[in-house]
Amino acid sequence: MSLFRTPQIVLFTRDIDRALVFYTALGFEEAFRTPTAGTPIHVDLVLDGYRLGLAAESSTRNDHGLDPVTEGQRAAVILWTDDVRAGYARLVELGAKPIKTPEAWLGRLLIAWVEDLDGHLMQVVQAVG
């Protein structure tokens, strides 16, 4: 029996409501929220069994005494798809910043890169050939 289970990543955000709209538009569904009324300080979202947390930067500082890194390429959310071009276009349509248009990689993948509304890297990946 493993000591750990159910890994997830939490992204820090300056505007949790905005981030929530963005990720739910991609198909993530809300699984947890605190507080349950008003503007949340933390929300967990689920897509295809994967859990992604959104945490308010201010709450991370004020409630936990931590200093979250809020600038630069700190992590990447990877989204697999059957259509990288459509996925990339959808992300850009929702306000993501284009970083790299779809391109072949390793002779078996098609990948594209964007930054979400808080600057977190996102990679869209499709298996090809």
Side-chain angles (χ1 to χ4, degrees):
M1 174 186 246
S2 177
L3 178 62
F4 301 106
R5 69 182 187 290
T6 320
Q8 79 177 77
I9 191 165
V10 173
L11 302 176
F12 302 116
T13 177
R14 291 187 179 124
D15 187 337
I16 199 163
D17 289 323
R18 181 185 69 170
L20 185 57
V21 168
F22 178 80
Y23 280 97
T24 56
L26 298 178
F28 282 86
E29 295 181 1
E30 190 171 315
F32 171 82
R33 166 189 290 248
T34 191
T36 56
T39 299
I41 58 171
H42 185 100
V43 176
D44 282 350
L45 303 168
V46 177
L47 176 66
D48 198 24
Y50 183 78
R51 199 167 186 113
L52 174 70
L54 300 173
E57 174 190 337
S58 58
S59 170
T60 304
R61 280 193 171 82
N62 300 334
D63 297 339
H64 302 291
L66 301 174
D67 190 22
V69 176
T70 58
E71 302 281 332
Q73 298 174 343
R74 301 148 329 266
V77 174
I78 310 303
L79 298 173
W80 286 84
T81 182
D82 292 327
D83 188 343
V84 162
R85 287 176 179 80
Y88 177 81
R90 178 68 175 143
L91 288 164
V92 172
E93 175 185 310
L94 290 170
K97 177 182 173 185
I99 300 298
K100 290 187 95 172
T101 58
E103 61 184 26
W105 190 57
L106 298 178
R108 57 189 164 92
L109 299 173
L110 187 62
I111 64 170
W113 293 90
V114 300
E115 287 182 353
D116 76 2
L117 306 179
D118 287 294
H120 300 105
L121 278 172
M122 298 182 75
Q123 182 188 65
V124 185
V125 185
Q126 175 184 352
V128 293

